[in-house]
Amino acid sequence: MTGAARRPAETPAAPLARQAAEQAARTSYGRLLALLASRSRDIAAAEDALAEALAAALATWPERGVPDNPDAWLLTAARRNLGHARARGATASAGAETMAMLQDERDSTAPMPLGDARLQLLFVCAHPAIDAGVQAPLMLQTVLGLDAARIAASFLVAPATMSQRLVRAKTRIRDAGIAFAIPAPDQLAPRRAAVLAAIYAAYGTAHDDVPAVAEAQGLAGEAIWLARLLGELMPDDPEALGLLALMLFCEARRPARRDAAGGFVPLLAQDARRWDAAMLAEAEALLRAAARFRTPGRFQIEAAIQSLHTETVLTGTANPGPLLALYDLLLATAPSTGARVGRAVALAALDVAAALADLDALAARCTGYQPWWAARAHVLRRAGDTAGARDAARTAAGLASDPAVRNWLLAASQE
Amino acid sequence: MEYTLLFLETPAEMARGETADAPAYWGAWTAYMGAMAAAGVMRGGNALMPPATATTLRITDGKWAVEDGPFADTKEQLGGYVIIDVPDLDAALEWAARAPCATAGSVEIRPVMPNPPGP
């Protein structure tokens, strides 16, 4: 990972020890942070304590050697820092409870069992009391330790705004006393859906004609890492498998999305030989494993749509009927503007007039929505309205932030 | 809320507007402006003539200095600006990211001062 943020400033440490410290940061950051914050619910204090411990590791490991259990070493050091910080903050007015917890923190020198509290941490990040827009950033920061500036860029938000939102969310978790716990069975389904949606938001939009911001920022890998983690922590959840499958389908096609000259290549024109075959196979296997639970959901359906697109390119045979059926299922399960636009494009292969009517019905809310304009250009072209298709393609180009996509749409606006 | 997007371009990017690449260059800008108009966010704006056409005036201690060219030799030059009306900075950033010069220069986003302080 390039983003083990909160990483202390470079010291002239022995490379091996630094590697060990960085390795610990990469694989254990979220696990350690979850343990440190679970009792006090104070994520910001836990982050500071962990950052201090990582700095100490970089300073001492080169001299004294890497400890046998780096994680336990870091946890002990961080817990000590946390205790000291509380002692500094505790005043005469501190309640007995605080003092007891303080003593507790200082006394606990025995290595604590390294249970995995990351799932609880993910549930905290996606708690309904936390603003939906900051849930994914919060996950990237607390589980992976990414810094606010890098997260801000990938979500196209000003760095100061992102920092502020993250601080506010952490304060809310602490002050509202949001529990580090797996939700009760009656709340589990909606809470799990929120965790999945936040991880998907970290990946960015998966629409093939709109390259994800995350992709441009190199955060796609981090989001997939989160999805894998979730799959390991909740192996019996078909939607967790579906989400990972969906992300892998999109990721596998990334190499084929640009031609040799850097030009944009839409999905159906892609050279399948440039897809990542191993990743596609894994995605297909995940989708099959999810299907065995016989509980369809939004991410499984979206992954199935991507699987069908893949097959269409590989066989050269379009499957408009099954594609439309999947979109209908998706709209019944998780209605969204994006899904409606996708359905209209699928429908255009069967009934272009009906597809156009569906798009028209969405017009009022889609004036600045790039996929709608791109879809409109496609459907109008099919309908034989060349002038209308050109205009729509031009507007879609104006809404594109990726130069390759913009150029491709501009070319379409002149065809 | 109103924001001004200041479009800053590298000299190389700006030069595209007067070469064989001109149709692609202007096509991208026309599409961008058209999309802002279609979305109903545009309040005004202009493209500016190239920096070489600029004249800079400076008065120091009563002495007038009139120079050919822009104020300073910077890496990026102002190519134009728009004023947009959007809910917040996030939305302004989204529009800025769509500017053709975002990948060949930069876009500066400044809130428009609602009521300039009076005397």
Side-chain angles (χ1 to χ4, degrees):
Chain A
M1 180 174 69
T2 50
R6 300 182 176 247
R7 188 160 36 195
E10 199 77 349
T11 57
L16 213 65
R18 186 165 67 230
Q19 245 175 37
E22 285 178 355
Q23 174 73 14
R26 170 73 174 96
T27 57
S28 310
Y29 187 91
R31 192 162 26 200
L32 293 173
L33 187 74
L35 286 171
L36 289 164
S38 62
R39 194 151 30 149
S40 67
R41 293 161 187 178
D42 192 340
I43 290 175
E47 284 173 335
D48 290 345
L50 186 53
E52 223 180 300
L54 286 165
L58 280 177
T60 59
W61 291 3
E63 284 172 30
R64 296 187 213 163
V66 178
D68 293 340
N69 187 342
D71 282 5
W73 189 98
L74 285 168
L75 185 66
T76 306
R79 286 174 65 95
R80 202 181 303 126
N81 296 337
L82 211 51
H84 288 162
R86 288 226 193 81
R88 283 196 296 274
T91 60
S93 64
E97 197 189 336
T98 312
M99 295 312 287
M101 190 153 83
L102 236 167
Q103 195 56 42
D104 201 21
E105 296 278 7
R106 267 177 299 197
D107 289 347
S108 66
T109 47
M112 183 170 160
L114 288 179
D116 203 329
R118 282 178 295 185
L119 187 56
Q120 284 89 327
L121 183 58
L122 288 172
F123 275 112
V124 166
C125 291
H127 191 278
I130 304 298
D131 180 52
V134 79
Q135 291 178 355
L138 197 57
M139 280 180 182
L140 289 167
Q141 179 156 77
T142 59
V143 182
L144 291 166
L146 301 190
D147 65 38
R150 179 146 178 249
I151 299 169
S154 75
F155 284 86
L156 205 56
V157 167
T161 311
M162 182 54 83
S163 296
Q164 210 175 40
R165 285 178 192 167
L166 287 166
V167 167
R168 210 180 299 140
K170 287 172 207 165
T171 306
R172 184 145 179 79
I173 289 165
R174 187 192 62 200
D175 294 350
I178 293 174
F180 277 64
I182 308 292
D186 61 323
Q187 292 166 20
L188 192 57
R191 295 286 307 280
R192 212 160 39 185
V195 171
L196 292 163
I199 292 178
Y200 191 48
Y203 184 73
T205 167
H207 201 285
D208 253 298
D209 291 344
V210 189
V213 179
E215 178 183 316
Q217 298 295 336
L219 271 192
E222 314 295 27
I224 289 174
W225 192 87
L226 277 180
R228 278 194 195 285
L229 173 67
L230 194 71
E232 284 163 27
L233 298 175
M234 300 199 302
D236 295 332
D237 187 314
E239 277 294 89
L241 301 176
L243 174 65
L244 182 56
L246 172 60
M247 287 157 90
L248 292 177
F249 273 121
C250 297
E251 201 62 14
R253 295 200 291 251
R254 183 206 292 243
R257 222 167 277 157
R258 292 283 183 276
D259 61 24
F264 171 70
V265 185
L267 173 57
L268 295 180
Q270 285 172 14
D271 179 355
R273 286 167 303 182
R274 297 185 62 207
W275 289 347
D276 185 324
M279 214 183 268
L280 276 183
E282 188 188 355
E284 292 288 357
L286 284 163
L287 194 52
R288 277 197 303 275
R292 282 189 213 112
F293 290 88
R294 303 200 171 280
T295 322
R298 174 199 163 182
F299 292 113
Q300 293 172 74
I301 300 165
E302 288 200 41
I305 288 172
Q306 295 309 322
S307 171
L308 195 58
H309 283 321
T310 303
E311 197 193 308
T312 299
V313 175
L314 287 173
T315 61
T317 315
N319 303 288
L323 187 60
L324 194 63
L326 282 172
Y327 270 113
D328 283 336
L329 194 57
L330 181 60
L331 280 174
T333 312
S336 71
T337 303
R340 280 200 187 89
V341 170
R343 184 188 182 275
V345 173
L347 179 61
L350 301 164
D351 183 346
V352 73
L356 206 49
D358 282 357
L359 283 179
D360 283 344
L362 296 169
R365 70 173 101 155
C366 288
T367 53
Y369 186 55
Q370 204 260 5
W372 183 81
W373 286 99
R376 193 173 161 75
H378 171 81
V379 176
L380 283 173
R381 170 95 39 198
R382 270 196 99 99
D385 180 353
T386 305
R390 284 177 173 172
D391 281 350
R394 193 173 304 112
T395 305
L399 291 167
S401 49
D402 184 306
V405 173
R406 181 190 300 133
N407 288 339
W408 184 83
L409 286 162
L410 280 175
S413 76
Q414 280 156 6
E415 270 169 20
Chain B
M1 197 168 161
E2 290 192 336
Y3 290 87
T4 300
L5 307 186
L6 299 165
F7 302 122
L8 301 160
E9 295 175 293
T10 58
E13 174 69 7
M14 211 168 256
R16 286 180 59 216
E18 291 162 20
T19 61
D21 223 9
Y25 176 87
W26 292 112
W29 279 104
T30 306
Y32 176 56
M33 298 293 173
M36 280 194 279
V41 298
M42 180 116 80
R43 290 292 167 270
N46 282 298
L48 303 178
M49 293 296 282
T53 65
T55 306
T56 304
L57 165 70
R58 200 173 318 167
I59 305 176
T60 317
D61 299 332
K63 275 188 191 155
W64 289 49
V66 181
E67 291 164 20
D68 290 325
F71 174 67
D73 252 355
T74 48
K75 274 192 293 182
E76 295 170 357
Q77 295 287 357
L78 186 64
Y81 67 93
V82 292
I83 297 165
I84 55 171
D85 193 355
V86 292
D88 52 30
L89 177 60
D90 290 3
L93 267 167
E94 200 174 329
W95 280 108
R98 293 163 170 162
C101 69
T103 49
S106 58
V107 184
E108 185 173 327
I109 301 149
R110 297 268 288 269
V112 172
M113 202 180 279
N115 289 306

